[in-house]
Amino acid sequence: MTAQLLSADLAGVPAALNALADRLARKDPYEALPALVDDEPAGILLLGTGSARHACEAAAHRLRRAGLGATAEHPSAEGSLPAGPATLVVAVAVGGGLRELCTALDRYVANSAIVVITDDTTSPAARYADILVPLGDEPDKSGLNSRGHRLALAQLLHLGHRLGAQPLGRSADLVPTLRRASNASADLLERARTWVPEAAAVLEGGGPVHTAAPAEREASAEQASLVLRQGPVMASFAFETAEWSHTGRYLAAVSDYRALLFAGSHYDERFSEHLLQLRGRFVAVGGQVEGAAATVRYLGDTDPDVALLTEPLVAEILAAHWWAARGI
């Protein structure tokens, strides 16, 4: 893994999103789903590790909003939803965790319908699939799974739409949302030289870089922290924005606290007020938040679906910047 490989992976994000939009416009990967699931499944189990798990959490939240019984589970859990025709299993085999995934899928094969989303159709997990959904993009060369995370998340959102979970953004169709997210990602990449120095200066200080996001997009905070830990190997911890005031802010009283806030929560102002009282600093992403030491905006950042597919790129670009500065 190197900073150069991560930068190359990130440069390919807009094209990867557009390519997925092209494929979904031509063919629905879930067209066989009605033949496997007669009625609305009583339970939907989403399995993944690392960044794939964060994508599963976001998708499960969307499905529950639609009244569907969805849960994102650690594949290593000893037990979860019961196997049987009323349970739909969705495994995301992207970026590792194959041992855990295959062990979990052993409990469901031949008893429940299984969807496997993967960036490697030769993966051992693929043999469990009743529906195999390839991402259509080669695995990230850096090993940080930046493209894989958002492509898997997009496929999960598309599956949710097929099951009745309506998008939260402007478009009822994922294809134009993917194209808008591609444009937004290209915008961030093209303007990186204008916003990275200021954002990096706010967040640098030698201590952890904390991240926070609204509950609906907590996956963005988790992905941001993960890439900071994996790439430049920086201490980083993720929080839901409102929950931060009850759990995370205590560290700000005893440290030089720096945070990356993905805007959009009703509790952004409380986050800012509490952090500034403790003399911390933060960068706001995707919206104006009073008290932010710097703000990073991008095309379409008021659309929650575009934000979900785009905003982790801010942390990923910063990770590449800090990683490169270490000369690795």
Side-chain angles (χ1 to χ4, degrees), residues 28 91 114 117 162 169 212 300:
D28 183 356
I114 297 175
I117 299 171
R162 284 296 308 265

Side-chain angles (χ1 to χ4, degrees), residues 74-296:
H74 291 284
S76 54
E78 289 297 323
S80 187
L81 298 183
T87 297
L88 172 65
V89 180
V90 183
V92 183
V94 177
L98 289 175
R99 178 181 176 184
E100 295 95 326
L101 273 179
C102 291
T103 299
L105 291 174
D106 280 334
R107 297 195 292 267
Y108 294 94
V109 67
N111 293 304
S112 300
I114 297 175
V115 174
V116 176
I117 299 171
T118 183
D119 56 1
D120 179 8
T121 56
T122 66
S123 161
R127 70 175 185 267
Y128 293 90
D130 296 300
I131 296 177
L132 182 62
V133 182
L135 293 187
D137 199 43
E138 63 181 9
D140 291 50
K141 291 183 171 59
S142 67
L144 270 65
N145 203 34
S146 296
R147 290 199 311 263
H149 167 77
R150 51 190 35 85
L151 294 179
L153 177 54
Q155 288 285 13
L156 288 168
L157 294 178
H158 183 57
L159 173 60
H161 190 203
R162 284 296 308 265
L163 293 170
Q166 294 300 313
L168 299 180
R170 286 174 42 185
S171 176
D173 183 354
L174 185 63
V175 169
T177 298
L178 285 170
R179 299 206 188 282
R180 295 180 67 216
S182 172
N183 291 337
S185 299
D187 174 49
L188 279 172
L189 289 162
E190 289 167 4
R191 292 188 299 104
R193 291 185 179 180
T194 66
W195 63 261
V196 165
E198 182 183 15
V202 171
L203 296 171
E204 289 169 348
V209 175
H210 304 270
T211 64
E216 297 80 3
R217 306 195 325 266
E218 192 173 355
S220 296
E222 294 285 1
Q223 174 67 10
S225 281
L226 179 59
V227 75
L228 289 171
R229 293 193 299 267
Q230 286 180 312
V233 195
M234 299 171 61
S236 184
F237 306 94
F239 297 91
E240 191 274 327
T241 305
E243 180 68 13
W244 178 87
S245 290
H246 305 289
T247 55
R249 72 181 174 121
Y250 300 105
L251 293 175
V254 295
S255 65
D256 183 13
Y257 203 96
R258 309 299 172 97
L260 192 65
L261 174 67
F262 297 105
S265 170
H266 293 301
Y267 300 94
D268 284 347
E269 290 185 6
R270 187 176 75 182
F271 175 96
S272 174
E273 179 184 355
H274 287 171
L275 184 54
L276 294 180
Q277 286 173 351
L278 296 167
R279 300 186 180 182
R281 306 178 73 192
F282 71 96
V283 174
V285 176
Q288 299 296 134
V289 180
E290 186 175 353
T295 301
V296 180

